[in-house]
């Protein structure tokens, strides 16, 4: 009896102190509208028992009905959903909003750029930004062209035949191009099955990590570790890391070979040596990790590589697969994209300069990314109070920015917001809209480091494929439902058919 009384008193005192220490958080939270909180658990019940597909349509319905911005409680955590473009700009451009909330730790790559805490991230991002500079991007264009050309020829196997799932092929393709152009390693020497297994394992691994976010009861690490989900995660993580380990070993072997070949008598006199070349991501990473001040240990080095592969592989594969699907759904637009390619670059490799001339293709890609975004929502943890228009967002809150909702908001895109229309991206229409109304790569200092690379690589691939084939599909846009995950998935496979435009034998 005494023990029970003691524990109860202790719990009450603890709770009162806890509330008192967060007085300002509650004060500011109360000024943000948000209708559905229960004591202690807040809005946790909202996500209970919903699978990722149901969750998207449910949250979309809620967000369209409820006020903006909106607050909700996930147990003790204050969530603030911000979806007005001008408020999103205030958040994403604030230097006090580059910290990611604790959920990003669930992906277990907190030493890489994607999940790193703000102080480490600031230092590393500044040092690594140069590996996506225009000089580096320009230098990888020939390689991207060669890979895309080869891929387009490989598709000939499917031309004139039945529907096939193009995502499987593109996941392998983007893995090979990312590792070749940013990690300096040619994975095309690996067997097809190995690469496909790697991609599908990575998708399952990070989908499971994402699901943990809305299953709040799995948040405490000590509880999570007791579940079968943790065991499976560890198994998948081990498999996932085998590839970055292989890449590191291949780099070491190549470096040792070069050193052995390096005969000082053969080297050029200093004044005849080439100018320093633009360093791709791995070269820059190797360089900065030699400086002990940058605090990149062996594990951190590998996590940077894992991050690049996870950031660049499935995102690009999904965006390209979605675009081939939409090209198949809208043949008139496909023809316009094709005619533009024939005007700009009817044969051969496309140059860095010519890429900017593919404006119709860019509008088409943007419309696909608007309605089928790759990232459904992102989150930030302000480290100080941040003013977002008339609202003060407290430090300690978790700000959620739902791209999915912003991209379909009728107040931004008009009554036909759900209709596929690349003319939404005509220059005059873009000029009328807030620049933060469409941000598929996020914005501000912590946006996607691979954004420009992504545009270039997608345009080059599309150029080679659309030039060679007519694409068709039986799937229609209204048939598609998105499921909430780190990379948003469709409820359908990317089933397309190809007809050759030219004799590709
Ligand atoms: C269509 C393709 C892509 C889309 C839609 C996309 C989208 C995004 C978004 C929305 C973020 C911000 C995530 C957040 O704040 O939670 C992000 C971050 C990131 N992306 Fe991408 N991405 C794409 C391609 C790429 C590529 C090709 C690479 C690598 C070459 C890449 C590497 C990264 C990295 C490393 C981060 C973390 C950046 C940081 O925190 O500093 N992404 N991406």
């Amino acid at each position: 009896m005494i023990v029970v009384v003691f524990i109860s008193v202790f719990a009450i005192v603890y709770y009162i102190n806890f509330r008192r220490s967060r007085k300002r958080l509650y004060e500011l939270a109360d000024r943000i509208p948000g209708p559905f909180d229960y004591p202690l658990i807040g809005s946790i019940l909202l996500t209970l028992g919903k699978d990722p597909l149901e969750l998207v349509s449910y949250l979309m319905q809620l967000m369209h009905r409820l006020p903006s911005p909106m607050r909700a409680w996930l147990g003790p955590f204050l969530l603030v959903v911000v979806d007005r473009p001008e408020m999103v700009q205030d958040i994403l451009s604030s230097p006090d909003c580059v910290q990611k909330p604790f959920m990003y730790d669930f992906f277990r790559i907190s030493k890489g750029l994607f999940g790193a805490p703000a102080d480490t991230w600031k230092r590393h991002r500044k040092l690594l930004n140069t590996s996506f500079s225009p000089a580096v991007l320009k230098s990888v264009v020939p390689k991207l062209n060669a890979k895309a050309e080869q891929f387009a020829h490989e598709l000939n196997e499917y031309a004139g035949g039945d529907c096939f799932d193009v995502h499987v092929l593109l996941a392998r393709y983007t893995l090979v191009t990312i590792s070749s152009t940013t990690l300096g390693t040619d994975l095309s020497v690996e067997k097809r099955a190995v690469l496909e297994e790697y991609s599908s394992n990575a998708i399952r691994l990070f989908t499971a990590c994402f699901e943990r976010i809305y299953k709040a009861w799995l948040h405490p690490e000590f509880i999570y570790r007791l579940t079968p989900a943790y065991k499976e995660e560890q198994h998948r993580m081990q498999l996932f890391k085998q590839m970055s380990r292989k890449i590191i070993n291949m780099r070491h072997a190549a470096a040792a070979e070069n050193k052995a070949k390096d005969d000082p008598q053969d080297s050029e006199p200093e004044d005849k040596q080439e100018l320093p070349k633009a360093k791709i991501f791995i070269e820059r990473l190797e360089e900065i990790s030699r400086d002990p001040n940058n605090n990149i240990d062996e594990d951190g080095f590998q996590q940077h590589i894992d991050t690049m592969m996870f950031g660049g592989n499935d995102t690009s594969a999904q965006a390209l697969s979605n675009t081939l699907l939409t090209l198949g759904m809208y043949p008139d637009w496909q023809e316009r994209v094709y005619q533009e390619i024939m005007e700009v670059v009817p044969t051969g490799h496309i140059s860095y300069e010519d890429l900017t001339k593919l404006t119709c293709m860019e509008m088409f890609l943007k419309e696909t990314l608007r309605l089928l975004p790759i990232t459904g929502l992102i989150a930030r943890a302000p480290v100080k109070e941040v003013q977002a228009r008339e609202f003060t967002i407290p430090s300690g809150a978790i700000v959620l920015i739902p791209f999915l909702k912003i991209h379909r908001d009728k107040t931004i895109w008009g009554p036909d917001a759900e209709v596929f229309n690349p003319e939404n991206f005509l220059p005059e229409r873009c000029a009328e809209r807030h620049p933060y109304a469409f941000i598929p790569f996020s914005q501000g200092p912590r946006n996607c480091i691979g954004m420009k690379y992504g545009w270039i690589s997608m345009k080059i691939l599309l150029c080679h494929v659309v030039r060679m084939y007519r694409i068709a599909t039986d799937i229609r846009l209204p048939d598609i439902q998105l499921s909430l995950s780190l990379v948003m998935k469709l409820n359908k496979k990317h089933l397309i058919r190809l007809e050759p435009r030219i004799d590709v034998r």
Side-chain angles (χ1 to χ4, degrees), residues 100 104 113-115 121 125 132 178 182 307-308 311-313 315-316 319 369 374-375 377-380 403 439-442 445-451 453-454 457-458:
K100 306 247 177 124
Y104 281 72
L113 284 181
F114 177 75
W121 169 81
R125 173 80 189 233
F132 289 93
I178 287 284
T182 68
T307 300
M308 207 39 67
N313 176 13
T315 47
S316 310
L369 285 170
I374 303 306
T375 309
L377 87 174
I378 61 164
R380 293 289 185 268
F403 296 165
I439 46 168
F441 293 87
S442 182
R446 202 158 187 180
N447 70 343
C448 173
I449 197 172
M451 177 170 79
Y453 175 97
S457 62
M458 288 193 291

Side-chain angles (χ1 to χ4, degrees), residues 261-324:
K261 272 195 225 148
D262 230 10
D263 182 346
Q265 283 173 352
D266 288 348
S267 62
E268 298 266 324
E270 215 156 88
D271 55 347
K272 279 201 182 163
Q273 273 176 0
E274 282 175 22
L275 287 172
K277 73 176 183 80
K279 289 194 170 72
I280 59 168
F281 180 80
I282 190 111
E283 293 166 337
R284 184 72 182 132
L285 182 63
E286 283 164 350
E287 184 176 66
I288 66 168
S289 58
R290 282 194 282 273
D291 180 347
N293 293 324
N294 293 329
N295 265 334
I296 303 177
D297 59 12
E298 206 179 312
D299 184 35
F301 186 89
Q302 188 171 1
Q303 288 199 26
H304 270 297
I305 295 178
D306 285 330
T307 300
M308 207 39 67
M309 291 169 75
F310 124 108
N313 176 13
D314 193 31
T315 47
S316 310
Q318 187 73 10
L320 280 167
S321 310
N322 291 350
T323 308
L324 292 183

